[in-house]
Amino acid sequence: MRRETSEPGASSQGRDGFGRSIPGFPAAAYAYCRHRGRETAQPDQGAGEAPWALGPPLGLPPAAARRLERQPQAGTKDLAGGGASAAPLPRKRKRFRPPGCSRELLRAEYPHHVWAIDLQFDQTMDGRRLKFLNVIDEFSRACLTIGVGRRCKAVDGITTIEGLLNQHPAPTHLRMDNGAEFIANALQEWCMGNGSATAYIPPGSPWENPFVESFNGRLRDEFLNMELFASLAKAKVLAEQHRIEYNVYRPHSALHGHTPLEVIQQWKAA
């Protein structure tokens, strides 16, 4: 029986089950795979440690070595009990930001200087869509409201903002994206009539609305992905409970460990 060898500096190639050479597949990797196959088929034979228990052989390309190291060991099972090791989760790609696209952003210098507005989507248990209109005060990071409805047009946005003016002063600026409900003439005319300027971010640039985008991510992870909404009314009640908990009890690293409510109280006391 012919024995395959792999010496340093040799240019030998691995062979498949029919003895044909496999271009670009080193003999060391082929021998390693054959050893893993024997180890899987006969896990109880031999009392010594596997020759390559500490990792793949030297001389492998980095990509091939990583693939071999990810192969499941003999007798392993996935957490779901299916008997086969689970495939690695896909790596989340970072959002591409074109070079030179950053610009100086308007920064909030006091409470209710800049309000950031954005929409999120979910659904009730019957499959009907829910829209969440989030309004954030950029200075204190406080969530002023989470408006919940089946739809959200410009008129609905105006109604939500007017409801906030009963409890808070009018903002100097409203930061929004270029969604149809935000660029409508009705909302722009309302802003002009109430002395609030609009600060639209460029299309496809969510990083220029960072505070509400950060809130959206936390709302998705801590609330939307955790709750099942039986109805629209139930969604409104749960959203308001989460908003109060977020403002009163949740500290923020960007606020030096304080909650949004504590930041507002410190500003008023200063």
Side-chain angles (χ1 to χ4, degrees), residues 4-21:
E4 285 129 351
T5 59
S6 176
E7 298 178 358
S11 60
S12 58
Q13 296 178 337
R15 296 180 179 274
D16 59 11
F18 300 95
R20 297 173 299 191
S21 61

Side-chain angles (χ1 to χ4, degrees), residues 156-239:
D156 302 314
I158 293 174
T159 302
T160 301
I161 297 174
E162 286 181 341
L164 292 176
L165 298 185
N166 296 328
Q167 307 173 17
H168 310 285
T172 306
H173 293 81
L174 291 176
R175 197 191 307 274
M176 303 167 286
D177 59 22
N178 289 268
E181 56 279 333
F182 298 142
I183 62 175
N185 292 332
L187 181 58
Q188 297 184 12
E189 292 175 359
W190 182 91
C191 291
M192 293 178 59
N194 288 270
S196 298
T198 56
Y200 291 105
I201 65 174
S205 303
W207 53 84
E208 296 200 9
N209 200 1
F211 300 104
V212 73
E213 290 292 341
S214 176
F215 174 81
N216 289 349
R218 291 179 172 86
L219 184 69
R220 175 67 61 183
D221 294 338
E222 301 172 4
F223 176 63
L224 298 181
N225 289 346
M226 305 296 293
E227 298 287 351
L228 290 176
F229 306 115
S231 63
L232 174 61
K234 186 66 174 179
K236 291 181 177 180
V237 172
L238 293 177

Side-chain angles (χ1 to χ4, degrees), residues 50-242:
W52 293 313
L54 299 180
L58 299 177
L60 291 182
R66 288 194 296 269
R67 286 196 298 270
L68 293 176
E69 288 177 344
R70 286 199 298 264
Q71 291 182 358
Q73 297 288 343
T76 59
K77 294 185 179 181
D78 61 354
L79 297 179
S85 295
L89 296 176
R91 181 176 298 178
K92 185 177 181 181
R93 292 185 177 182
K94 293 184 178 180
R95 186 185 295 272
F96 174 73
R97 181 183 298 186
C101 65
S102 60
R103 59 193 180 96
E104 188 68 22
L105 297 179
L106 172 67
R107 299 186 64 88
E109 300 177 356
Y110 49 86
H112 308 295
H113 182 193
V114 181
W115 287 1
I117 307 176
D118 200 9
L119 277 174
Q120 279 189 288
F121 301 90
D122 209 286
Q123 63 181 14
T124 50
M125 296 176 62
D126 56 3
R128 300 176 63 190
R129 173 173 291 188
L130 287 174
K131 291 188 176 182
F132 295 81
L133 181 64
N134 304 326
V135 182
I136 304 297
D137 175 48
E138 292 193 357
F139 180 83
S140 63
R141 310 296 200 274
C143 177
L144 303 180
T145 187
I146 303 178
V148 187
R150 297 293 184 184
R151 65 176 189 177
C152 184
K153 297 184 178 180
V155 177
D156 302 314
I158 293 174
T159 302
T160 301
I161 297 174
E162 286 181 341
L164 292 176
L165 298 185
N166 296 328
Q167 307 173 17
H168 310 285
T172 306
H173 293 81
L174 291 176
R175 197 191 307 274
M176 303 167 286
D177 59 22
N178 289 268
E181 56 279 333
F182 298 142
I183 62 175
N185 292 332
L187 181 58
Q188 297 184 12
E189 292 175 359
W190 182 91
C191 291
M192 293 178 59
N194 288 270
S196 298
T198 56
Y200 291 105
I201 65 174
S205 303
W207 53 84
E208 296 200 9
N209 200 1
F211 300 104
V212 73
E213 290 292 341
S214 176
F215 174 81
N216 289 349
R218 291 179 172 86
L219 184 69
R220 175 67 61 183
D221 294 338
E222 301 172 4
F223 176 63
L224 298 181
N225 289 346
M226 305 296 293
E227 298 287 351
L228 290 176
F229 306 115
S231 63
L232 174 61
K234 186 66 174 179
K236 291 181 177 180
V237 172
L238 293 177
E240 180 63 17
Q241 291 177 355
H242 180 80

